[in-house]
Amino acid sequence: MQSFAQLRDLHFDPSNAVVHVGGVLCIEITMYSQMPVPVHVEQIVVNVHFSIEKNSYRKTAEWLTKHKTSNGIINFPPETAPFPVSQNSLPALELYEMSERSPSDNSLNTTGIICRNVHMLLRRQESSSSLEMPSGVALEEGAHVLRCSHVTLEPGANQITFRTQAKEPGTYTLRQLCASVGSVWFVLPHIYPIVQYDVYSQEPQLHVEPLADSLLAGIPQKVKFTVTTGHYTIKNGDSLQLSNAEAMLILCQAESRAMVYSNTREQSSDAALRIQFSDKVTSISLPVAPAYHVIEFELEVLSLPSAPALGGESDMLGMAEPHRKHKDKQKTGHCMVTTDHKVSIDCPWSIYSTVIALTFSVPFRTTHALLSSGTRKYVQVCVQNLSELDFQLSDSYLVDTSDSTDLQLVPLNTQSQQPIYSKQSVFFVWELKWTEEPPPSLHCRFSVGFSPVSEEQLSVSLKPYIYEFKVENFFTLYNVKAEIFPPSGMEYCRTGSLCSLEVSITRLSDLLEVDKDEALTESDEHFSTKLMYEVVDNSSNWAVCGKSCGVISMPVAARATHRVHMEVMPLFAGYLPLPDVRLFKYLPHHSAHSSQLDADSWIENDSLSVDKHGDDQPDSSSLKSRGSMHSACSSEHKGLPMPRLQALPAGQVFNSSSGTQVLVIPSQDDHVLEVSVT
């Protein structure tokens, strides 16, 4: 082939040299004819080697598209001279012009070219050298060939196009180029660099993805459906059957259309979507599409915006919990709660169902708090917008699902509509009023309508956001009041001086249903219950001197009051907040030993088993300070049954002295500082 023509370049169409089964591939080669005149060639043949890839995953269109070059042009290096190696080593011709002139008139008689080193070129060759062309050129025969017939090669560059229809998936390698002129075959034994094209067979696929980074519950969200037909032909009547999720709706718009694209992303057609709804299935009719095409359409879905159920009353704001836990709860509360909706889709090309999961994020985080002012009670609901959108809130309601006739919820919010911006919070407050004995618990349902501020008129009415919670033991049973008095003869408290602390515990109601527990005892005249009080100061402003806790027998009767006196010492000057006073129910142990032991001995020995909520645990430092005084005695009752403490809910105890401060002035004692100088 070298002496006849040279292969210059090759171009694939499509350019990535990837085609599906049944597709057409065009290969255009440029041959540079070295003949001085046009030559008629009966046929030009490219022998192709076919191989099946061992790893079947490499036959997918996605993999082939990513790992193939995109320009589709392959250039071949210039070929060497077609002479033998021995001829290439001979010296170059030394040609000179020769002319003869007439001696009489100096006219030109003859002219020509002579070779001065002809003796070196025409000398006898040695027997070891050979002028024959290299042998071993063999024509390959196979079932896969590319053929182009009746081609006239003009001198210079010629473009020749081969067309083939892919029939079997695999990798095809161009191995040999042959051209026949009469009975003579000109052969290029090996095509280098290696030239390959791939044929793939693709299964039909369905892909569902949201158009936004995250789907928000409660408002319409767009979801994109992509159907890759593969080797399957979508016929008239083919449809996708979607199972209806319980808390997710599929919305239909009149202008919804489906677009049909070829594998090269050229739009071939579009059609209106036909969607039919039933109780259990939503049917989406697919437009007619040939094999190896792509169908794309968008649908709107709507997830109901219900808040997750609370794990317990400890999730309620306003509980007496340590500051550290409250910080952790705030830190983890900035993430939106997600809910998954699984949808089963039946496709016409498969007998198996395709299950997809759509994850929706609830844009709001809601908490509630029980607020007290003596016996007056308020329920506060905080709605925090965690999303990037701004919403308009409207028609907020709070109802008691137990339908108590004596209870009334009076809203204190006067605005019917209120905006809530991104990363901001809105508070709603209701006052609880009742005519008779309040119920032991409230099962509340909070609902508020919302809509995006930036959206235009929505085609569907949005469901309200619902948040359900439970409030237990909210009625105030005890009023705790603390007062600090300066030493006798002084107007103000001074640092380092002992002051008198008086704690009064007042019962605000008679016997209620919540009082009937194992701590309640009945005598001839009245009922009573055992309470444990504890005075602690976590801010280290006061030093509690003497016994900081004790057990009292509290009559269960309205206006019954018990007063406790102790001494405290201010450690700093200024306006100091009062120490904290905590109340616990003192529950006896169910054992025969419990009746034989004095209850107060358990307090002195500090061998109490604490049975209370995790958010209301006493300060560990106060337990250590009380236990250190009688650590020796506590070992005496080791192994004996111990009483239990149960924390009273925050709604049952009202601290009327909360926020009160006491003025403490510095001490006027003179201090002598001795300095020794040497």
Side-chain angles (χ1 to χ4, degrees):
M1 180 69 76
Q2 291 91 339
S3 60
F4 177 67
Q6 293 183 1
L7 182 61
R8 292 291 179 87
D9 57 57
L10 180 145
H11 175 66
F12 281 108
D13 185 20
S15 58
N16 58 358
V18 177
V19 66
H20 58 79
V21 173
V24 176
L25 178 72
C26 295
I27 302 176
E28 183 182 88
I29 64 173
T30 300
M31 292 188 65
Y32 189 87
S33 175
Q34 301 189 119
M35 297 293 101
V37 295
V39 178
H40 179 73
V41 180
E42 280 80 3
Q43 58 180 348
I44 299 178
V45 178
V46 178
N47 292 308
V48 180
H49 178 264
F50 170 72
S51 62
I52 300 177
E53 186 68 45
K54 294 181 180 180
N55 298 326
S56 60
Y57 69 90
R58 291 197 169 189
K59 289 294 166 290
T60 62
E62 182 180 2
W63 188 93
L64 292 172
T65 303
K66 288 182 179 180
H67 293 78
K68 283 289 187 176
T69 58
S70 58
N71 55 7
I73 299 177
I74 300 174
N75 296 310
F76 297 94
E79 300 174 356
T80 58
F83 298 103
V85 177
S86 59
Q87 291 287 341
N88 292 338
S89 62
L90 295 178
L93 295 177
E94 296 181 5
L95 301 178
Y96 294 92
E97 180 184 358
M98 184 274 297
S99 60
E100 293 183 358
R101 296 184 179 274
S102 173
S104 58
D105 54 0
N106 198 29
S107 60
L108 182 62
N109 290 335
T110 59
T111 184
I113 297 176
I114 63 173
C115 179
R116 292 187 177 182
N117 59 347
V118 67
H119 61 285
M120 300 180 64
L121 297 173
L122 298 181
R123 66 182 179 179
R124 179 183 177 86
Q125 301 292 326
E126 298 179 359
S127 59
S128 60
S129 63
S130 175
L131 292 177
E132 296 179 357
M133 294 288 291
S135 59
V137 176
L139 292 175
E140 293 186 2
E141 295 182 358
H144 301 279
V145 294
L146 304 177
R147 193 183 308 273
C148 189
S149 303
H150 304 292
V151 178
T152 300
L153 295 181
E154 300 289 340
N158 296 265
Q159 274 74 33
I160 303 169
T161 302
F162 299 90
R163 295 180 182 272
T164 180
Q165 187 174 17
K167 296 181 180 179
E168 189 175 357
T171 300
Y172 294 79
T173 306
L174 279 59
R175 300 284 292 270
Q176 196 177 76
L177 177 66
C178 304
S180 64
V181 180
S183 59
V184 180
W185 284 89
F186 296 93
V187 181
L188 180 61
H190 301 287
I191 297 177
Y192 186 83
I194 297 176
V195 180
Q196 293 178 333
Y197 66 90
D198 290 276
V199 178
Y200 68 91
S201 176
Q202 188 177 14
E203 295 294 327
Q205 295 179 355
L206 172 64
H207 185 61
V208 182
E209 60 178 349
L211 293 183
D213 294 337
S214 62
L215 297 174
L216 292 181
I219 59 177
Q221 300 284 275
K222 288 188 176 182
V223 177
K224 181 180 179 181
F225 286 73
T226 303
V227 177
T228 304
T229 60
H231 60 74
Y232 182 81
T233 301
I234 303 295
K235 302 176 292 295
N236 190 15
D238 288 347
S239 62
L240 300 178
Q241 306 290 330
L242 282 68
S243 62
N244 295 334
E246 182 178 356
M248 189 187 74
L249 304 177
I250 299 177
L251 308 179
C252 178
Q253 294 181 344
E255 64 274 8
S256 297
R257 303 187 68 84
M259 312 299 292
V260 181
Y261 299 92
S262 64
N263 265 10
T264 57
R265 298 301 299 177
E266 297 178 358
Q267 181 177 346
S268 59
S269 64
D270 66 331
L273 274 182
R274 292 181 299 168
I275 304 178
Q276 297 179 350
F277 298 94
S278 63
D279 294 338
K280 296 183 178 180
V281 177
T282 299
S283 178
I284 304 174
S285 298
L286 297 176
V288 176
Y292 296 98
H293 277 62
V294 178
I295 303 174
E296 292 183 354
F297 58 90
E298 297 178 2
L299 291 180
E300 285 190 343
V301 293
L302 179 64
S303 175
L304 299 183
S306 298
L310 291 179
E313 198 175 350
S314 59
D315 292 334
M316 183 178 66
L317 291 180
M319 301 291 287
E321 58 183 3
H323 180 65
R324 178 184 57 81
K325 292 190 176 182
H326 187 62
K327 262 183 85 175
D328 294 342
K329 203 172 275 189
Q330 285 181 340
K331 188 181 296 184
T332 59
H334 288 294
C335 298
M336 288 187 286
V337 177
T338 59
T339 176
D340 293 335
H341 297 288
K342 292 186 178 180
V343 179
S344 176
I345 304 178
D346 293 334
C347 303
W349 56 79
S350 176
I351 61 174
Y352 302 103
S353 298
T354 302
V355 179
I356 63 171
L358 296 177
T359 301
F360 291 84
S361 300
V362 180
F364 304 121
R365 175 180 179 263
T366 309
T367 54
H368 65 279
L370 178 65
L371 308 179
S372 301
S373 177
T375 57
R376 300 181 67 179
K377 297 294 178 177
Y378 303 87
V379 174
Q380 175 185 276
V381 177
C382 173
V383 179
Q384 184 181 5
N385 183 8
L386 301 178
S387 69
E388 300 296 333
L389 299 179
D390 298 335
F391 292 93
Q392 185 77 19
L393 303 181
S394 60
D395 301 330
S396 59
Y397 291 100
L398 182 66
V399 296
D400 180 22
T401 57
S402 59
D403 296 332
S404 176
T405 57
D406 298 334
L407 186 66
Q408 183 181 4
L409 295 169
V410 180
L412 302 184
N413 293 70
T414 58
Q415 298 180 0
S416 60
Q417 292 190 352
Q418 192 168 0
I420 179 170
Y421 300 102
S422 175
K423 313 302 180 183
Q424 299 296 322
S425 301
V426 172
F427 294 85
F428 301 90
V429 180
W430 285 264
E431 183 178 1
L432 301 179
K433 293 185 177 181
W434 55 87
T435 56
E436 298 180 3
E437 180 181 343
S441 62
L442 288 179
H443 298 268
C444 298
R445 178 188 290 120
F446 167 75
S447 64
V448 61
F450 70 100
S451 61
V453 174
S454 59
E455 293 287 341
E456 299 178 356
Q457 186 66 29
L458 298 176
S459 58
V460 61
S461 59
L462 301 181
K463 300 290 184 180
Y465 173 74
I466 297 177
Y467 171 72
E468 295 185 351
F469 58 95
K470 185 178 180 182
V471 180
E472 294 182 335
N473 303 324
F474 61 90
F475 184 72
T476 304
L477 300 180
Y478 301 98
N479 180 37
V480 177
K481 183 179 180 181
E483 289 183 287
I484 293 181
F485 301 98
S488 60
M490 295 185 182
E491 185 179 0
Y492 299 104
C493 296
R494 294 180 181 272
T495 56
S497 60
L498 292 178
C499 302
S500 176
L501 171 65
E502 180 181 293
V503 178
S504 60
I505 304 172
T506 304
R507 173 80 185 192
L508 300 180
S509 66
D510 294 325
L511 182 65
L512 298 177
E513 192 67 30
V514 296
D515 294 312
K516 298 178 181 179
D517 54 15
E518 53 186 334
L520 184 68
T521 58
E522 182 180 1
S523 62
D524 297 336
E525 298 179 356
H526 58 269
F527 290 91
S528 63
T529 183
K530 286 187 179 295
L531 299 177
M532 173 183 166
Y533 65 89
E534 180 185 24
V535 179
V536 294
D537 183 33
N538 294 327
S539 57
S540 301
N541 291 323
W542 302 88
V544 182
C545 304
K547 196 173 181 181
S548 62
C549 60
V551 175
I552 61 174
S553 179
M554 191 73 187
V556 185
R559 294 180 298 277
T561 303
H562 189 95
R563 288 181 173 83
V564 178
H565 297 272
M566 60 185 66
E567 290 182 332
V568 293
M569 178 186 295
L571 303 178
F572 303 98
Y575 286 93
L576 303 182
L578 297 181
D580 296 330
V581 180
R582 299 174 180 174
L583 282 185
F584 304 94
K585 274 195 175 183
Y586 188 82
L587 304 177
H589 192 278
H590 295 287
S591 174
H593 298 281
S594 301
S595 58
Q596 302 173 4
L597 298 173
D598 183 16
D600 289 338
S601 64
W602 298 110
I603 301 301
E604 294 176 358
N605 294 328
D606 198 29
S607 301
L608 291 175
S609 113
V610 180
D611 178 18
K612 44 188 173 178
H613 299 294
D615 292 341
D616 294 317
Q617 292 185 4
D619 186 27
S620 58
S621 61
S622 64
L623 291 178
K624 289 181 180 179
S625 64
R626 290 183 281 111
S628 61
M629 295 186 297
H630 303 280
S631 58
C633 299
S634 60
S635 60
E636 298 179 3
H637 301 286
K638 188 175 182 180
L640 295 178
M642 297 180 296
R644 293 175 292 120
L645 296 181
Q646 182 181 17
L648 290 171
Q652 291 186 356
V653 179
F654 177 70
N655 192 342
S656 60
S657 57
S658 177
T660 305
Q661 294 180 336
V662 177
L663 176 60
V664 178
I665 61 177
S667 176
Q668 295 181 352
D669 295 340
D670 295 331
H671 297 277
V672 178
L673 178 64
E674 295 182 359
V675 179
S676 177
V677 179
T678 58

PDB file of all heavy atoms in Angstrom, residues 99-110:
ATOM      1  N   SER A  99      25.595  20.706 -21.578  1.00  0.00           N
ATOM      2  CA  SER A  99      25.179  21.336 -22.839  1.00  0.00           C
ATOM      3  C   SER A  99      26.375  21.432 -23.798  1.00  0.00           C
ATOM      4  O   SER A  99      27.526  21.549 -23.354  1.00  0.00           O
ATOM      5  CB  SER A  99      24.607  22.730 -22.562  1.00  0.00           C
ATOM      6  OG  SER A  99      25.585  23.544 -21.948  1.00  0.00           O
ATOM      7  N   GLU A 100      26.119  21.329 -25.143  1.00  0.00           N
ATOM      8  CA  GLU A 100      27.136  21.447 -26.185  1.00  0.00           C
ATOM      9  C   GLU A 100      26.751  22.587 -27.113  1.00  0.00           C
ATOM     10  O   GLU A 100      25.598  22.682 -27.542  1.00  0.00           O
ATOM     11  CB  GLU A 100      27.262  20.146 -26.982  1.00  0.00           C
ATOM     12  CG  GLU A 100      27.812  18.988 -26.152  1.00  0.00           C
ATOM     13  CD  GLU A 100      27.983  17.724 -27.004  1.00  0.00           C
ATOM     14  OE1 GLU A 100      27.631  17.794 -28.206  1.00  0.00           O
ATOM     15  OE2 GLU A 100      28.422  16.694 -26.468  1.00  0.00           O
ATOM     16  N   ARG A 101      27.729  23.422 -27.487  1.00  0.00           N
ATOM     17  CA  ARG A 101      27.484  24.554 -28.370  1.00  0.00           C
ATOM     18  C   ARG A 101      28.340  24.421 -29.651  1.00  0.00           C
ATOM     19  O   ARG A 101      29.395  23.807 -29.655  1.00  0.00           O
ATOM     20  CB  ARG A 101      27.812  25.864 -27.643  1.00  0.00           C
ATOM     21  CG  ARG A 101      26.898  26.103 -26.454  1.00  0.00           C
ATOM     22  CD  ARG A 101      27.194  27.452 -25.812  1.00  0.00           C
ATOM     23  NE  ARG A 101      26.296  27.699 -24.665  1.00  0.00           N
ATOM     24  CZ  ARG A 101      25.093  28.230 -24.782  1.00  0.00           C
ATOM     25  NH1 ARG A 101      24.642  28.606 -25.983  1.00  0.00           N
ATOM     26  NH2 ARG A 101      24.352  28.406 -23.703  1.00  0.00           N
ATOM     27  N   SER A 102      27.871  25.096 -30.706  1.00  0.00           N
ATOM     28  CA  SER A 102      28.601  25.069 -31.993  1.00  0.00           C
ATOM     29  C   SER A 102      29.855  25.926 -31.872  1.00  0.00           C
ATOM     30  O   SER A 102      29.788  27.070 -31.370  1.00  0.00           O
ATOM     31  CB  SER A 102      27.697  25.590 -33.106  1.00  0.00           C
ATOM     32  OG  SER A 102      28.421  25.716 -34.304  1.00  0.00           O
ATOM     33  N   PRO A 103      31.024  25.417 -32.336  1.00  0.00           N
ATOM     34  CA  PRO A 103      32.250  26.199 -32.202  1.00  0.00           C
ATOM     35  C   PRO A 103      32.260  27.418 -33.116  1.00  0.00           C
ATOM     36  O   PRO A 103      32.974  28.394 -32.853  1.00  0.00           O
ATOM     37  CB  PRO A 103      33.336  25.203 -32.549  1.00  0.00           C
ATOM     38  CG  PRO A 103      32.669  24.060 -33.231  1.00  0.00           C
ATOM     39  CD  PRO A 103      31.243  24.056 -32.843  1.00  0.00           C
ATOM     40  N   SER A 104      31.429  27.421 -34.151  1.00  0.00           N
ATOM     41  CA  SER A 104      31.483  28.535 -35.104  1.00  0.00           C
ATOM     42  C   SER A 104      30.672  29.737 -34.607  1.00  0.00           C
ATOM     43  O   SER A 104      31.168  30.860 -34.485  1.00  0.00           O
ATOM     44  CB  SER A 104      30.977  28.102 -36.477  1.00  0.00           C
ATOM     45  OG  SER A 104      29.633  27.610 -36.363  1.00  0.00           O
ATOM     46  N   ASP A 105      29.416  29.492 -34.263  1.00  0.00           N
ATOM     47  CA  ASP A 105      28.551  30.627 -33.856  1.00  0.00           C
ATOM     48  C   ASP A 105      28.088  30.535 -32.393  1.00  0.00           C
ATOM     49  O   ASP A 105      27.213  31.274 -31.944  1.00  0.00           O
ATOM     50  CB  ASP A 105      27.343  30.734 -34.758  1.00  0.00           C
ATOM     51  CG  ASP A 105      26.570  29.428 -34.844  1.00  0.00           C
ATOM     52  OD1 ASP A 105      26.988  28.443 -34.182  1.00  0.00           O
ATOM     53  OD2 ASP A 105      25.523  29.385 -35.522  1.00  0.00           O
ATOM     54  N   ASN A 106      28.632  29.571 -31.681  1.00  0.00           N
ATOM     55  CA  ASN A 106      28.318  29.408 -30.247  1.00  0.00           C
ATOM     56  C   ASN A 106      26.830  29.164 -29.993  1.00  0.00           C
ATOM     57  O   ASN A 106      26.284  29.505 -28.962  1.00  0.00           O
ATOM     58  CB  ASN A 106      28.780  30.636 -29.458  1.00  0.00           C
ATOM     59  CG  ASN A 106      28.886  30.334 -27.973  1.00  0.00           C
ATOM     60  OD1 ASN A 106      29.138  29.185 -27.608  1.00  0.00           O
ATOM     61  ND2 ASN A 106      28.712  31.341 -27.125  1.00  0.00           N
ATOM     62  N   SER A 107      26.159  28.554 -30.949  1.00  0.00           N
ATOM     63  CA  SER A 107      24.743  28.224 -30.746  1.00  0.00           C
ATOM     64  C   SER A 107      24.634  26.885 -30.017  1.00  0.00           C
ATOM     65  O   SER A 107      25.533  26.047 -30.088  1.00  0.00           O
ATOM     66  CB  SER A 107      24.008  28.168 -32.087  1.00  0.00           C
ATOM     67  OG  SER A 107      24.588  27.184 -32.925  1.00  0.00           O
ATOM     68  N   LEU A 108      23.513  26.706 -29.323  1.00  0.00           N
ATOM     69  CA  LEU A 108      23.283  25.492 -28.514  1.00  0.00           C
ATOM     70  C   LEU A 108      22.900  24.360 -29.436  1.00  0.00           C
ATOM     71  O   LEU A 108      21.910  24.441 -30.168  1.00  0.00           O
ATOM     72  CB  LEU A 108      22.175  25.736 -27.476  1.00  0.00           C
ATOM     73  CG  LEU A 108      21.873  24.572 -26.540  1.00  0.00           C
ATOM     74  CD1 LEU A 108      23.093  24.230 -25.685  1.00  0.00           C
ATOM     75  CD2 LEU A 108      20.675  24.922 -25.642  1.00  0.00           C
ATOM     76  N   ASN A 109      23.689  23.292 -29.387  1.00  0.00           N
ATOM     77  CA  ASN A 109      23.396  22.118 -30.209  1.00  0.00           C
ATOM     78  C   ASN A 109      22.623  21.073 -29.408  1.00  0.00           C
ATOM     79  O   ASN A 109      21.561  20.619 -29.825  1.00  0.00           O
ATOM     80  CB  ASN A 109      24.696  21.516 -30.754  1.00  0.00           C
ATOM     81  CG  ASN A 109      25.364  22.410 -31.804  1.00  0.00           C
ATOM     82  OD1 ASN A 109      24.690  23.214 -32.452  1.00  0.00           O
ATOM     83  ND2 ASN A 109      26.679  22.274 -31.951  1.00  0.00           N
ATOM     84  N   THR A 110      23.110  20.696 -28.243  1.00  0.00           N
ATOM     85  CA  THR A 110      22.456  19.671 -27.406  1.00  0.00           C
ATOM     86  C   THR A 110      22.520  20.104 -25.952  1.00  0.00           C
ATOM     87  O   THR A 110      23.387  20.870 -25.543  1.00  0.00           O
ATOM     88  CB  THR A 110      23.150  18.297 -27.560  1.00  0.00           C
ATOM     89  OG1 THR A 110      24.509  18.428 -27.182  1.00  0.00           O
ATOM     90  CG2 THR A 110      23.049  17.783 -28.988  1.00  0.00           C
TER      91      THR A 110
END
